Amino acid sequence: MSESYEVVLQQVAKGDLQVLLEYIEMGSQTLSGLAVSEEFGEVGSAGINKNLIDAIVAHEGDVCLTEHLHEFNVSGVIRLPLVFLRVIKYKGEVDVELSFNDDPSLDIDRVMLVMQGYADELSKKFHIKEFYGGLEPAADIDTRYFTGNTLGPLG
């Protein structure tokens, strides 16, 4: 059984959410499976766009958006076959998560090191309060590869 890994971009600035998601999507060869936990009419049928992001940000309650990123290119160094993108709006905050399964052809330590660099790059380009990555759920500090630029127990 393969392990699942996760990189979390925590408390993304709502004003940067659309451009951040577009930037992340550009790293993927193809996209599929866009789904939103709340009904926003026809907004979600056009994919991730300004209207959808505005609806998510304006929504009073919690919302989850998911999408599959196929052949996701991490900084030109590593290509992950499938990454699961999650955008979670809760209590007025927005987190963006990238999840993927271990692949026998990849050195997971190297993948996580490159993902740390990728998350750091995103945090500098966009207003992201904190980022971390590790075994899913990456919220568990004991199974993290990194928290920000600091290596964790698995790093």
Side-chain angles (χ1 to χ4, degrees):
M1 186 171 115
S2 68
E3 298 280 357
S4 293
Y5 297 85
E6 170 177 65
V7 173
V8 178
L9 309 172
Q10 207 168 35
Q11 296 181 10
V12 175
K14 292 175 190 140
D16 284 347
L17 186 57
Q18 180 186 349
V19 281
L20 170 64
L21 296 176
E22 288 172 354
Y23 185 87
I24 290 171
E25 283 183 330
M26 285 188 332
S28 181
Q29 199 167 41
T30 57
L31 309 168
S32 70
L34 179 65
V36 183
S37 64
E38 302 299 319
E39 182 60 46
F40 294 121
E42 295 297 314
V43 177
S45 65
I48 294 177
N49 59 48
K50 182 175 178 358
N51 291 339
L52 178 58
I53 298 306
D54 288 348
I56 288 171
V57 169
H59 185 69
E60 292 291 323
D62 299 344
V63 180
C64 181
L65 174 146
T66 59
E67 184 175 41
H68 296 107
L69 310 174
H70 301 272
E71 298 302 319
F72 186 72
N73 191 357
V74 184
S75 301
V77 179
I78 294 174
R79 185 176 298 271
L80 299 172
L82 178 65
V83 172
F84 188 63
L85 169 70
R86 269 186 307 266
V87 177
I88 302 170
K89 179 182 173 236
Y90 61 100
K91 298 179 185 174
E93 302 293 340
V94 178
D95 291 352
V96 174
E97 303 173 353
L98 300 169
S99 299
F100 53 94
N101 289 333
D102 191 6
D103 184 312
S105 68
L106 297 172
D107 174 357
I108 195 62
D109 292 336
R110 184 166 177 248
V111 169
M112 291 306 288
L113 185 61
V114 171
M115 288 299 282
Q116 180 182 20
Y118 179 71
D120 184 46
E121 174 191 340
L122 293 177
S123 76
K124 289 175 181 168
K125 270 187 186 205
F126 306 100
H127 295 94
I128 297 168
K129 185 172 180 180
E130 183 180 340
F131 62 90
Y132 54 87
L135 283 167
E136 196 165 354
D140 183 351
I141 294 171
D142 294 333
T143 60
R144 282 195 189 165
Y145 276 80
F146 60 88
T147 301
N149 288 313
T150 303
L151 293 179
L154 300 181

